């Protein structure tokens, strides 16, 4: 069975964890879990919820913890291995173990802070950095209202050397470049690459533009929802040239920032319809992101050797918001329709005057 076939089977079985995981082990701390090996992670959970995520918030630290999962995991290249070169180990913790090397790579700029934030928890609890990075990311996502049930596995092989540079896509890369990279990393197709970008529903800028920090990618960065896919379809202006604004597009909503790659994926004929499908389909958004998160968080690993500790991850905060709506003053007339097969859905417009989206502020910083 291929990696993706195995992962599809795992994802299908765990889509609703409470329905399929029979808890058999009682931990010394009182929690129950399907495998006693998972007990060590309950104290880690309590610690990071209180001391990293401010009591379980979908905050700046949560956004960066999720970003770290993707930047660690995607750094693997079977194509390089086939040429006799080291192609990285994927989700093996190399970005933390060799942080002085990997956080200096251009696409990883800014991740030195979250690595420095997470390292003390790894040392304190004696857990593997290769497992801790996806654990913190899964917990972070579960803190955001509307998120899917998140999966978590332990037992990853840890890195023995730094991943090579050039394996993490950048905002100024073309759709072709990004699709080539994701296909090499995990044989991901164009639709699955859109699923990866769902992470931007709960994301904000961090060194994309050196002049601004903490600008969200949509108007609801604390919610895992389809607003990101709507906001990126609104007409925005592409900045000419590069320099400080390389990879950035002027958003149609005040206070937001839009990545050039997101702008392009929303309008490319290969990805536009999948992009549009997430505007008002929360169930699909949750299911597809659950799959792709686990896929990235286990790249380069043998799934058969991992232990399922998904029942340690908290149940996600329930969806407490209504259907996706146009920002005040916007309507279907402001959409750059790119999906030829399906009309853009008809949505209500949020009431009130247009206002600027609040910055994710203050962005955290760690002293090195």
């Amino acid at each position: 069975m291929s990696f993706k076939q195995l992962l599809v089977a795992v994802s299908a079985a765990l889509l609703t964890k409470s329905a399929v995981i029979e808890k058999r082990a009682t931990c010394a701390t009182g929690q129950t879990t399907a495998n006693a090996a998972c007990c060590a992670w309950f104290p880690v959970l309590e610690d990071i919820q209180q001391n990293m995520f401010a009591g379980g918030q979908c905050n700046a630290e949560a956004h960066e913890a999720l970003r770290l999962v993707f930047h660690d995991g995607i750094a693997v290249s079977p194509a390089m291995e086939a040429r006799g070169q080291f192609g990285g180990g994927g989700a093996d913790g190399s970005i933390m173990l060799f942080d002085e090397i990997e956080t200096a790579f251009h696409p990883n700029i800014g991740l030195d802070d979250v690595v420095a934030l997470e390292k003390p928890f790894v040392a304190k609890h004696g857990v593997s950095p290769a497992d801790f990075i996806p654990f913190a990311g899964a917990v972070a996502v579960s803190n955001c209202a509307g998120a899917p049930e998140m999966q978590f596995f332990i037992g990853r092989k840890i890195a023995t050397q730094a991943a090579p540079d050039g394996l993490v896509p950048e905002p100024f890369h073309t759709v072709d470049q990004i699709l080539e990279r994701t296909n090499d990393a995990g044989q991901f197709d164009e639709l699955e690459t859109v699923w990866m970008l769902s992470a931007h529903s709960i994301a904000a800028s961090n060194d994309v533009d050196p002049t601004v920090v903490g600008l969200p990618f949509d108007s609801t960065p604390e919610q895992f929802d389809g607003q990101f896919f709507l906001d990126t379809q609104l007409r925005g202006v592409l900045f000419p040239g590069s320099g400080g604004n390389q990879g950035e597009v002027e958003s149609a909503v005040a206070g937001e920032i839009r990545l050039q790659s997101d702008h392009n994926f929303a309008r490319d004929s290969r990805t536009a319809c999948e992009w549009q499908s997430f505007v008002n389909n929360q169930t699909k958004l949750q299911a597809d992101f659950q799959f792709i998160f686990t896929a990235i968080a286990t790249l380069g690993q043998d799934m058969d050797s991992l232990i399922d500790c998904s029942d340690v991850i908290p149940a996600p905060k329930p969806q407490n918001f209504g259907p996706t709506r146009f920002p005040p003053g916007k309507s279907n007339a402001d959409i750059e329709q790119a999906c030829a097969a399906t009309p853009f859905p008809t949505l209500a417009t949020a009431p009130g005057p247009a206002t600027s989206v609040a910055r994710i502020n203050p962005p955290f910083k760690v002293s090195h």
Side-chain angles (χ1 to χ4, degrees):
M1 179 182 290
S2 72
F3 166 77
K4 287 180 70 174
Q5 288 174 322
L6 176 60
L7 191 55
V8 167
V10 170
S11 294
L14 294 179
L15 188 56
T16 305
K17 296 188 307 231
S18 60
V20 299
I21 294 182
E22 182 182 352
K23 297 185 178 182
R24 297 173 181 169
T26 300
C27 305
T29 48
Q31 297 94 341
T32 55
T33 176
N35 193 306
C38 304
C39 287
W41 290 90
F42 284 108
V44 187
L45 171 65
E46 182 179 358
D47 196 0
I48 66 172
Q49 283 288 62
Q50 292 303 315
N51 299 307
M52 187 188 303
F53 301 134
Q57 299 300 307
C58 185
N59 55 8
E61 289 81 355
H63 301 161
E64 289 299 288
L66 175 57
R67 181 182 174 218
L68 190 64
V69 176
F70 279 77
H71 285 236
D72 186 50
I74 201 69
V76 61
S77 174
M80 290 180 66
E81 295 285 348
R83 297 193 297 267
Q85 302 169 286
F86 176 62
D92 61 359
S94 66
I95 199 169
M96 181 177 291
L97 290 163
F98 301 94
D99 54 316
E100 291 188 2
I101 298 173
E102 290 195 34
T103 62
F105 297 162
H106 190 267
N108 294 337
I109 291 174
L111 285 174
D112 56 328
D113 285 311
V114 69
V115 168
L117 182 70
E118 292 189 2
K119 268 188 166 183
F121 294 99
V122 172
K124 176 181 177 180
H125 295 281
V127 294
S128 162
D131 290 336
F132 181 86
I133 289 173
F135 178 74
V139 174
V141 174
S142 72
N143 289 339
C144 303
E149 297 265 5
M150 299 302 293
Q151 299 169 14
F152 171 58
F153 300 84
I154 63 172
R156 291 168 181 78
K157 296 179 297 183
I158 64 171
T160 57
Q161 59 183 303
D165 197 3
L167 297 182
V168 180
E170 302 225 46
F172 55 84
H173 285 168
T174 66
V175 172
D176 285 340
Q177 287 175 308
I178 294 173
L179 291 178
E180 182 180 3
R181 175 78 279 278
T182 58
N183 182 260
D184 175 31
Q187 296 185 332
F188 299 115
D189 62 24
E190 64 273 15
L191 304 187
E192 291 163 329
T193 303
V194 172
W195 303 355
M196 295 181 200
L197 296 172
S198 301
H200 290 175
S201 171
I202 46 175
S205 64
N206 187 12
D207 298 290
V208 175
D209 184 334
T211 65
V212 289
V213 179
L215 298 185
F217 294 160
D218 75 346
S219 54
T220 58
E222 74 289 349
Q223 297 174 177
F224 187 82
D225 62 2
Q227 194 68 43
F228 164 72
F229 293 95
L230 167 59
D231 289 4
T232 46
Q233 286 259 220
L234 295 169
R235 288 184 175 84
V237 180
L238 183 65
F239 284 121
S242 55
N245 291 323
Q246 188 178 34
E248 179 188 348
V249 172
E250 182 180 347
S251 176
V253 180
E256 290 182 16
I257 191 171
R258 184 186 302 180
L259 300 185
Q260 180 179 325
S261 51
D262 290 339
H263 180 94
N264 293 341
F265 266 88
R267 289 156 178 79
D268 190 279
S269 60
R270 294 164 291 182
T271 54
C273 289
E274 186 70 6
W275 195 277
Q276 181 177 294
S277 75
F278 291 127
V279 168
N280 62 345
N281 192 335
Q282 185 73 10
T283 300
K284 181 178 186 298
L285 178 61
Q286 291 173 328
D288 290 345
F289 185 74
Q290 183 201 59
F291 167 84
I292 207 65
F293 176 92
T294 301
I296 295 293
T298 53
L299 275 178
Q301 302 291 333
D302 176 9
M303 289 291 292
D304 289 328
S305 69
L306 302 182
I307 297 172
D308 177 17
C309 290
S310 299
D311 57 359
V312 178
I313 305 299
K317 291 186 176 181
Q319 181 176 340
N320 56 2
F321 45 89
T324 306
R325 298 185 295 179
F326 285 106
K330 303 293 183 181
S331 69
N332 279 73
D334 298 292
I335 290 293
E336 274 188 333
Q337 174 67 20
C339 175
T342 309
F344 198 84
T346 300
L347 307 171
T349 297
T355 57
S356 180
V357 180
R359 185 174 297 195
I360 307 299
N361 194 39
F364 70 92
K365 279 289 181 183
V366 175
S367 298
H368 300 283

